[in-house]
Amino acid sequence: MTGLRLTLPEASINAHLVDIAFLVICGIGGAILLLLLGLLLTFIVRYRRGTSARRGPLPEIWSREIEIGWTTATIFVAIFIFWWFVGASQPPPHNLPGQLEIHVVAKQWMWKTQHPGGAREIDSLHIPVGTPIRLVMTSQDVIHSFYVPAFRLKQDVLPTISTALEFTPTETGSFHLFCAEFCGAQHSRMTGTIVVMSESAYARWLRRQPHGDSLVREGENLYAKFGCGACHAPDSQVHAPKLAGLAGHPVLLSTGAQANADDAYLRRAILEPRADIVAGFSPIMPSYGAVADTSDVEALIAYIKSLPVEGKPR
Amino acid sequence: MVEKDRSRSDLQKIWLKPLLTWTCLCLLLTATCALAYVPMGPGNLPVSLLIAAIKAGLVGAVFMRLAEDAPLNRLAASAGPIWIFILFVLMGTDYFTR
Amino acid sequence: MSDAYLHPPWKDLNRQHQAVTFGMWVFLASEVLLFGGLFAGYTIYRDLYSRGFLAAGHQTSIVFGTINTAILMTSSLTMAVAGRAARAALLRTARLMLMATFFLGVLFLILKGFEYREDIQKGLFPGHGFPLTAAGAQIFFSFYWVMTGIHALHVTGGLAAVLRLIIASARNREWLAGSTSEEATALYWHLVDVIWIILYPLLYLAGRVNG
Amino acid sequence: MNGPIPVGRPDYLRDGSTLRSWLFTTDHKRIAILFAIAITFFFFVGGAAITIVRMELVTPAGDLVSDDTYNKLFTIHGIIMVWFFLIPSIPATLGNFLLPLMIGAEDLAFPRINLLSWYLYMAGASFTLAMLVLGGVDTGWTFYTPYSTMFSNGAVLVAAGGVLISGFSSILTGVNFIATTHTLRTPGMTWFRLPLFVWAMYATSLVMVLATPVLAMTLVLVMAERWLGLPFFDPSRGGDPLLFQHLFWFYSHPAVYIMILPAMGVVSEIITCFARRRLFGYSFMVYALVAIAVIGFFVWGHHMFVSGQSAYANLVFSFLSFMVAVPSAIKVFNWTATLYRGSITFEAPMLYAFGFLGLFTIGGLTGLFLATVPIDIHVTDTYFVVAHFHYIMVGGAVSAYLGGLHYWWPKITGKRYPEAWARFAAILMFFGFNLTFFPQFVMGYLGMPRRYHVYPPEFQVYHVLSSGGAAVLGAAYLLPLAYLLVSLFTNERAGPNPWHAKGLEWQTTSPPPRLNFDRQPIVPNVPYDYHPKGGPVEREETANGDAA
Ligand code: HEA
Ligand code: HEA
Ligand code: CUA
Ligand SMILES: [Cu+2]
């Protein structure tokens, strides 16, 4: 990989769109630049001191018209570029069928990734070509940024808030993964490799991985380890809400407000149980912020989400 | 004691308006403090802010004499609130659509 | 005699006066934006943690807060009267009112000090062992300390400026009548009052209802 | 040309020679010199820091300095270049010196506050030097939380404190300039006869006064969180990770216009003088300046396209960023049109102005790439951004500053600078600059992240080019330092108006007296009243005619 690099592979659908946008704006900007430089040079040569070119004042009205002309023209070009790229860059498709959801946890200074089956990687990510991928990312400490130049994609990875990145790789091969937000001493070493493989190769690769617990299974273990069931099990003596079927449904809070039990809500319920108290319960649940790290919480959430709604198994 | 010789209207001139304003301010303070104890749900905050804005307006218009001041000074005085408004609106485009 | 008030590069007192008040207004715009950042942060978090903010707001001392508001408003009154008196050449009234302003300002700071002591006794400084558990309560108190702290700094600055007027007018009784500093100081003092008027509902009136 | 100089009247440089007469002066011209010395010092400190960075980047491995040192170097470079060099550069030196002269006043409205500005700047500067001594700071000039508040081991408090204090210097300068422009214009100097440089200072001051306090408060919050443990931004205690960024960029985007508006003012003066032409579209130029200053407040979110900000906000900020480009475009077109039918000569200031035109346009146009969301997602935090802002700040603003320095050097010092050397330096700078920063556009698009101490080897060629360019650029900056200093000790007197230029500042002696004018200057009825045909002889005539 040494030597001069002149081009960057286009390894996702998005990459191609970005390159086109880049070329279009290069064209427009280049034309404007050439026009300006051309005028500049012409004037410099023609009107340098001592030439016999015509001089003398310009009529006032004239310059007004010109002024208004180029102002409108610029506004028009600016709006055109804006309008054009808004149209050309469709928002990434949501929840495509067959989408692969991969969890990414960033910390100083490494990338931890986890596949739906439970396989884990550090500083690398294997994905099948042609499959829509959704990365769900959080950070354990400072802000990082997940950047794959070959996909022309980048997304900051924040502590406590999860961000997502959706794309479909279109080319097999190995590509750089960079951390693009300054995050401390070894920011420049927080890099990795994205390996895009054919679907069959990916399946083979996955099989060869150590039997990592799946996220849900891991969550189940943690659920037992932390003793959540002591309160939340259906037959528990403690008055605590049932968690089955909770995810994705509205919850009535003691303030009278309603919350939606999305990932952020569940995360808060585990880390800061007192932030939102469910109506009809008392704030006795301890906070797990000190014992559960970010990936534990993700696992617990995955487990809670997997619990079947009573009566109708999933 | 120069001041004794002054006509009463002079004293009135310097005291009347400020005192009236101060009375209004005190009434508003009482009102806002009392209203804070009236359950209005989400209404409490806007009410107290509205009263605060009126009070600030009174201080500005009378004590700081904006009401009679040069337009230029009024313009300068409005810059602060206007720019805070910009900050709020554009931050809102992010926070309230996340 | 009006030359005594002229500073270079001015040649005309009216013009100098205009420049000083206008300059002060521009500076005040800047001061308003200084607090603007705080207001923005407060708003975002209040939206995010409304419960915690209300619970925390309940812990501030409404008594101190309200009395201090009244004191500051009254000091604004005395300051406004001082200015009017100076312009009407009622120099004794003007001086008295300046002293009243100074006194009220100091009183404000003293009460604020007692309030701080009470807050600290209640453990209301964010950190370990903070008594409130609701999410956002610590953030509320972070804003409380910084907002009131910076405001108190402004009061102190204003007091220094008022003191300067008092001393200068003690040296020369006539000085107040034509000085441009008086008006600038007054504007600054009133702004400090206005800021407090806005802080009051944010810090003291939140969460009074159901606590 | 303006009557004899009164006997025994010293110019401002000779009006007292004790250290005291400098350190306690309220003369805007002397304060300008004090500022000039300080910012020149800091320019070379910032330059020295990045010199080591560029040497490190010659090889892909991190073999010259440790990663921590590297991070501190570019942080120090950014902090110093932005707050201790470029923001005060034109306003506090040329602006301080020229604003009263250009409007025919004896001084700024508040001379003592002006001196206070300098002391505040120096206080902030001492904090910054203390920060260097204490081992530096490694947060990047942007101080992003939670890294700066909870994780960094650098001297964040001292660094932030320095920036905070120097911010108050900016605010006071801004207040002073605004009040001066409103109240001290000499009779006849109406708003629409003001030179564009004055308008530029006015617009800059607006931004300084309205944006800087927000930065100040943000830094206070950072310091309170780091020092007192008050949670404001810390996500682990409920803080919003993006709040800091909003507040920081609310200041820092307008701040980039604090850096470029004064440069635009300088260039307007230079181009009209050396094209001997009235400014094309004067009133549009004025409106454009004010429009940039105001709209500049609406676009800060374009620094946060990948931060997790909402997609809707991204679109709004993107659109507004395109809008702020329009007034800049108007300015570029007007400067070009001013050359039309001019009578152009190529002294060093004009060469710098041409350099500004080209490089600012490239920098600005690449700003449009960054304002385009999908492209920015790819190139943000890469060298593409680094190249963008150096094209504007170094290619644009620093060129304009140097151009202005050469242009007004005779007025400030009374001496002429060596023209041949100056032209050589200007041209060398242009080439060195492009060699340094053009490759950064390419490697940025190819994915080279910024703030990287080690990097994949395929980018090495570009880095080597860039470092080579930086060496040329560094030499080109040392040249003016040398010959301008030497020129101080020559006896080549400049005369009141060596360029036969039209502003009021040229109607007094060089250097001007303590109170700027020996007699009331005469305001021409239009600014830049150059004879339509250009040419030195006619100019001399009109000038005499005016004075009579
Ligand atoms: C003096 C400094 C300066 C100036 C004037 C500008 C001007 C502009 N900047 Fe720049 N910018 C910076 C300094 C500056 N910038 C810095 C320091 C950063 C990085 C900070 C950091 O992260 O460390 C940055 C980063 C930055 C970003 C974020 C990049 C990122 O981090 O992802 C963006 C995104 O929109 C941007 C856009 C613009 C735009 C649209 C302008 C416009 O104002 C430009 C307008 C000018 C023109 C457009 C050229 C002239 C016009 C024509 C020739 C006519 C043709 C025009 C049209 C058809 C519209 N800038
Ligand atoms: C006004 C602003 C300004 C100016 C003038 C400059 C000037 C220069 N800048 Fe800077 N730069 C910034 C503002 C500026 N920069 C900012 C804001 C950042 C972002 C920081 C961050 O990420 O936080 C940055 C970042 C930055 C980087 C990216 C670092 C990284 O991301 O890892 C680079 C890399 O090439 C760079 C290069 C240069 C060069 C070569 C110059 C040259 O123009 C400098 C030329 C001058 C000299 C070379 C000095 C000459 C003097 C000597 C040679 C004497 C030496 C003396 C001794 C050693 C005793 N700059
Ligand atoms: Cu992680 Cu940079
Ligand atoms: Cu910007």
Side-chain angles (χ1 to χ4, degrees):
Chain A
M1 291 216 291
T2 38
L4 178 63
R5 158 167 272 186
L6 288 171
T7 55
L8 186 61
E10 289 179 349
S12 74
I13 301 177
N14 174 69
H16 186 62
L17 294 178
V18 171
D19 281 353
I20 291 180
F22 183 76
L23 288 178
V24 167
I25 301 189
C26 268
I28 299 175
I32 295 173
L33 188 66
L34 282 183
L35 177 75
L36 271 169
L37 292 184
L39 283 176
L40 209 61
L41 281 180
T42 319
F43 293 164
I44 286 177
V45 173
R46 215 176 123 92
Y47 296 110
R48 65 184 192 281
R49 161 106 16 113
T51 60
S52 59
R54 238 189 80 198
R55 297 191 163 88
L58 291 170
E60 193 57 31
I61 320 198
W62 227 58
S63 64
R64 235 191 127 67
E65 309 266 279
I66 294 180
E67 230 26 275
I68 293 170
W70 65 42
T71 307
T72 13
T74 320
I75 295 180
F76 177 78
V77 174
I79 293 184
F80 169 78
I81 301 178
F82 177 77
W83 168 84
W84 180 79
F85 89 73
V86 171
S89 56
Q90 317 95 329
H94 258 300
N95 293 327
L96 285 178
Q99 194 179 46
L100 211 53
E101 183 171 300
I102 295 176
H103 287 251
V104 176
V105 174
K107 58 182 274 192
Q108 280 177 329
W109 291 274
M110 60 163 82
W111 297 101
K112 297 202 272 185
T113 56
Q114 186 164 20
H115 294 256
R120 290 165 180 252
E121 302 178 65
I122 285 184
D123 285 346
S124 71
L125 178 64
H126 290 72
I127 40 175
V129 71
T131 312
I133 310 275
R134 176 183 166 85
L135 302 179
V136 179
M137 312 189 285
T138 50
S139 158
Q140 272 186 19
D141 36 49
V142 298
I143 303 178
H144 304 270
S145 193
F146 190 96
Y147 177 32
V148 185
F151 297 160
R152 314 287 188 276
L153 274 183
K154 184 182 291 125
Q155 173 62 55
D156 281 7
V157 182
L158 309 174
T160 67
I161 294 183
S162 66
T163 49
L165 199 52
E166 294 184 329
F167 57 92
T168 307
T170 53
E171 241 184 58
T172 56
S174 301
F175 307 104
H176 283 300
L177 161 64
F178 293 127
C179 173
E181 187 63 77
F182 180 69
C183 56
Q186 303 201 30
H187 162 62
S188 68
R189 291 180 203 269
M190 190 168 162
T191 56
T193 315
I194 308 286
V195 185
V196 182
M197 327 168 84
S198 70
E199 287 208 46
S200 55
Y202 176 69
R204 247 178 291 127
W205 174 85
L206 210 53
R207 252 181 281 117
R208 263 189 283 113
Q209 292 311 297
H211 287 269
D213 284 336
S214 88
L215 204 55
V216 171
R217 194 126 32 83
E218 190 189 332
E220 195 176 357
N221 292 341
L222 288 166
Y223 188 84
K225 183 176 143 206
F226 291 142
C228 312
C231 302
H232 286 291
D235 51 356
S236 160
Q237 296 301 307
V238 185
H239 181 55
K242 309 252 175 322
L243 299 182
L246 163 68
H249 290 278
V251 179
L252 192 64
L253 300 181
S254 61
T255 50
Q258 240 194 22
N260 187 33
D262 51 10
D263 284 14
Y265 172 84
L266 294 175
R267 187 173 304 115
R268 210 166 43 243
I270 298 170
L271 294 174
E272 305 166 43
R274 274 154 215 231
D276 299 306
I277 302 295
V278 185
F281 295 90
S282 42
I284 51 167
M285 171 169 164
S287 159
Y288 286 84
V291 285
D293 73 4
T294 312
S295 46
D296 292 347
V297 176
E298 295 306 314
L300 282 169
I301 293 173
Y303 172 65
I304 294 175
K305 288 205 295 203
S306 76
L307 291 171
V309 184
E310 264 144 288
K312 33 180 174 160
R314 272 208 296 219
Chain B
M1 281 291 196
V2 215
E3 265 133 283
K4 281 223 174 103
D5 312 332
R6 296 289 185 132
S7 61
R8 279 185 57 207
S9 72
D10 237 5
L11 280 178
Q12 237 177 38
K13 201 176 84 192
I14 63 171
W15 276 102
L16 187 62
K17 254 178 143 186
L19 256 184
L20 273 178
T21 314
W22 179 78
T23 318
C24 285
L25 286 174
C26 287
L27 289 177
L28 285 169
L29 176 62
T30 324
T32 190
C33 190
L35 283 173
Y37 287 91
V38 180
M40 287 185 276
N44 283 95
L45 180 66
V47 168
S48 63
L49 283 181
L50 183 70
I51 296 182
I54 298 175
K55 279 157 72 185
L58 276 176
V59 174
V62 183
F63 288 170
M64 300 168 102
R65 298 193 299 151
L66 273 181
E68 53 199 82
D69 214 340
L72 185 62
N73 289 358
R74 273 187 254 169
L75 191 69
S78 59
I82 293 176
W83 256 259
I84 289 193
F85 179 72
I86 296 174
L87 175 64
F88 271 65
V89 168
L90 286 173
M91 258 171 99
T93 61
D94 174 21
Y95 279 97
F96 299 114
T97 59
R98 255 193 216 159
Chain C
M1 101 141 220
S2 74
D3 282 3
Y5 308 114
L6 268 182
H7 300 292
W10 300 98
K11 302 206 175 64
D12 171 83
L13 197 57
N14 254 335
R15 201 87 181 132
Q16 175 181 340
H17 184 242
Q18 247 177 38
V20 171
T21 40
F22 174 62
M24 185 41 95
W25 271 113
V26 175
F27 182 67
L28 294 189
S30 194
E31 289 280 343
V32 168
L33 274 148
L34 187 72
F35 284 88
L38 284 174
F39 295 150
Y42 178 96
T43 310
I44 299 301
Y45 285 127
R46 178 155 182 162
D47 181 57
L48 208 60
Y49 301 113
S50 53
R51 242 173 39 78
F53 265 48
L54 294 186
H58 191 67
Q59 297 299 316
T60 55
S61 165
I62 179 94
V63 179
F64 275 123
T66 312
I67 293 182
N68 260 347
T69 312
I71 289 178
L72 220 47
M73 280 170 9
T74 313
S75 78
S76 243
L77 167 73
T78 53
M79 191 50 142
V81 173
R84 276 156 221 252
R87 278 186 295 279
L90 300 172
L91 297 177
R92 225 176 81 86
T93 318
R95 255 176 68 75
L96 271 177
M97 286 300 124
L98 281 181
M99 289 185 201
T101 309
F102 186 78
F103 169 75
L104 289 167
V106 172
L107 191 64
F108 174 90
L109 284 184
I110 292 176
L111 287 184
K112 194 72 216 154
F114 278 112
E115 185 187 349
Y116 278 160
R117 200 180 63 173
E118 192 183 298
D119 294 333
I120 288 180
Q121 274 163 2
K122 287 205 265 171
L124 290 173
F125 195 87
H128 281 297
F130 192 78
L132 305 176
T133 49
Q138 298 214 20
I139 297 188
F140 175 91
F141 268 95
S142 302
F143 277 101
Y144 168 83
W145 286 99
V146 168
M147 281 173 165
T148 56
I150 302 253
H151 179 265
L153 275 182
H154 280 77
V155 174
T156 315
L159 281 176
V162 175
L163 191 63
R164 173 174 165 257
L165 294 183
I166 296 178
I167 292 175
S169 63
R171 289 222 194 98
N172 171 4
R173 288 179 130 262
E174 303 292 302
W175 185 75
L176 270 184
S179 154
T180 42
S181 315
E182 196 279 334
E183 176 124 20
T185 309
L187 285 177
Y188 186 79
W189 189 262
H190 293 308
L191 181 89
V192 174
D193 183 28
V194 166
I195 302 267
W196 184 263
I197 287 176
I198 310 281
L199 294 187
Y200 175 68
L202 299 182
L203 299 178
Y204 292 95
L205 297 184
R208 287 297 148 198
V209 184
N210 42 14
Chain D
M1 63 185 286
N2 215 350
I5 300 173
V7 213
R9 189 274 282 144
D11 61 56
Y12 81 100
L13 288 172
R14 291 191 181 69
D15 185 26
S17 59
T18 55
L19 192 59
R20 201 188 143 77
S21 75
W22 280 92
L23 292 183
F24 293 100
T25 180
T26 52
D27 182 352
H28 65 102
K29 300 182 288 304
R30 287 195 162 197
I31 296 173
I33 305 270
L34 292 177
F35 264 115
I37 295 169
I39 66 162
T40 307
F41 170 74
F42 274 108
F43 176 74
F44 284 97
V45 176
I50 209 67
T51 304
I52 306 175
V53 164
R54 284 299 353 154
M55 277 153 62
E56 164 68 62
L57 291 174
V58 170
T59 59
D63 35 20
L64 181 64
V65 293
S66 72
D67 44 17
D68 193 41
T69 309
Y70 179 90
N71 297 340
K72 286 177 172 162
L73 286 170
F74 72 69
T75 303
I76 289 165
H77 168 72
I79 291 180
I80 287 185
M81 285 301 198
V82 169
W83 283 298
F84 295 94
F85 170 65
L86 197 51
I87 285 185
S89 64
I90 298 178
T93 59
L94 297 177
N96 233 332
F97 195 97
L98 293 164
L99 181 63
L101 283 166
M102 284 182 162
I103 62 176
E106 285 181 2
D107 206 322
L108 288 176
F110 313 117
R112 279 178 297 173
I113 291 193
N114 194 21
L115 183 64
L116 178 63
S117 281
W118 185 73
Y119 276 103
L120 283 172
Y121 171 87
M122 291 309 282
S126 343
F127 269 66
T128 302
L129 291 178
M131 173 269 280
L132 292 180
V133 174
L134 291 174
V137 63
D138 67 340
T139 57
W141 78 285
T142 46
F143 290 112
Y144 270 22
T145 58
Y147 185 73
S148 64
T149 56
M150 310 303 294
F151 291 85
S152 166
N153 297 319
V156 179
L157 283 177
V158 187
V163 174
L164 174 73
I165 298 172
S166 80
F168 288 104
S169 163
S170 278
I171 294 178
L172 292 184
T173 301
V175 170
N176 220 336
F177 282 8
I178 293 179
T180 305
T181 316
H182 273 277
T183 52
L184 277 176
R185 282 169 289 123
T186 195
M189 182 54 88
T190 57
W191 281 96
F192 281 83
R193 289 183 190 168
L194 288 176
L196 271 187
F197 181 78
V198 175
W199 270 110
M201 284 303 131
Y202 185 78
T204 308
S205 304
L206 283 180
V207 184
M208 285 178 166
V209 166
L210 294 170
T212 318
V214 176
L215 174 76
M217 188 49 76
T218 310
L219 291 174
V220 167
L221 296 187
V222 166
M223 291 161 79
E225 175 157 313
R226 193 176 163 89
W227 192 18
L228 305 174
L230 298 179
F232 284 107
F233 305 115
D234 179 10
S236 69
R237 290 190 287 166
D240 180 275
L242 297 194
L243 176 64
F244 171 84
Q245 298 180 27
H246 277 296
L247 294 176
F248 180 83
W249 292 115
F250 178 84
Y251 161 79
S252 286
H253 184 83
V256 309
Y257 296 119
I258 297 180
M259 304 182 226
I260 204 68
L261 290 171
M264 293 172 158
V266 168
V267 166
S268 305
E269 301 297 314
I270 296 179
I271 289 189
T272 46
C273 174
F274 295 97
R276 316 231 60 89
R277 193 81 192 149
R278 284 188 196 166
L279 194 71
F280 191 87
Y282 171 89
S283 53
F284 283 84
M285 290 295 257
V286 170
Y287 299 138
L289 280 172
V290 179
I292 294 174
V294 174
I295 305 176
F297 277 92
F298 302 164
V299 305
W300 79 81
H302 66 209
H303 296 271
M304 300 169 61
F305 286 156
V306 302
S307 68
Q309 167 177 266
S310 83
Y312 173 73
N314 278 359
L315 280 189
V316 171
F317 282 119
S318 168
F319 179 74
L320 291 167
S321 302
F322 278 102
M323 289 302 104
V324 80
V326 173
S328 303
I330 294 177
K331 301 202 72 85
V332 171
F333 295 141
N334 275 308
W335 287 316
T336 313
T338 301
L339 299 175
Y340 180 66
R341 294 191 171 184
S343 172
I344 304 170
T345 53
F346 302 94
E347 284 84 351
M350 191 61 158
L351 296 184
Y352 280 113
F354 284 138
F356 170 95
L357 265 186
L359 302 178
F360 169 75
T361 304
I362 296 177
L365 286 170
T366 52
L368 296 182
F369 290 72
L370 298 172
T372 308
V373 181
I375 298 180
D376 183 68
I377 288 176
H378 172 46
V379 295
T380 181
D381 276 316
T382 67
Y383 267 81
F384 193 91
V385 175
V386 176
H388 154 69
F389 65 74
H390 283 91
Y391 261 81
I392 300 190
M393 301 207 293
V394 181
V398 177
S399 294
Y401 172 63
L402 285 171
L405 201 61
H406 284 83
Y407 179 55
W408 284 293
W409 188 256
K411 182 53 62 186
I412 297 172
T413 63
K415 302 291 172 64
R416 307 208 65 152
Y417 61 83
E419 188 61 46
W421 277 107
R423 288 185 190 179
F424 173 67
I427 293 168
L428 189 65
M429 219 172 278
F430 184 81
F431 283 107
F433 175 84
N434 281 299
L435 185 56
T436 312
F437 293 106
F438 195 80
Q440 297 189 356
F441 279 127
V442 183
M443 66 172 141
Y445 196 78
L446 296 179
M448 169 71 212
R450 66 191 277 205
R451 297 171 171 176
Y452 259 35
H453 170 232
V454 296
Y455 58 87
E458 68 256 32
F459 298 114
Q460 186 173 11
V461 175
Y462 301 104
H463 274 300
V464 170
L465 286 175
S466 184
S467 296
V472 178
L473 192 56
Y477 283 132
L478 287 172
L479 273 179
L481 183 73
Y483 65 71
L484 287 180
L485 282 180
V486 169
S487 80
L488 287 179
F489 302 99
T490 60
N491 271 329
E492 258 195 86
R493 307 229 121 254
N497 191 357
W499 312 119
H500 307 289
K502 287 297 181 179
L504 297 195
E505 76 270 28
W506 302 107
Q507 292 190 20
T508 186
T509 55
S510 306
R514 167 67 183 88
L515 295 180
N516 292 349
F517 296 97
D518 290 319
R519 53 191 63 73
Q520 188 83 31
I522 295 140
V523 183
N525 53 5
V526 286
Y528 312 111
D529 190 17
Y530 293 103
H531 193 280
K533 291 237 161 88
V537 187
E538 294 115 327
R539 261 181 288 114
E540 216 52 84
E541 278 165 13
T542 40
N544 287 337
D546 275 353

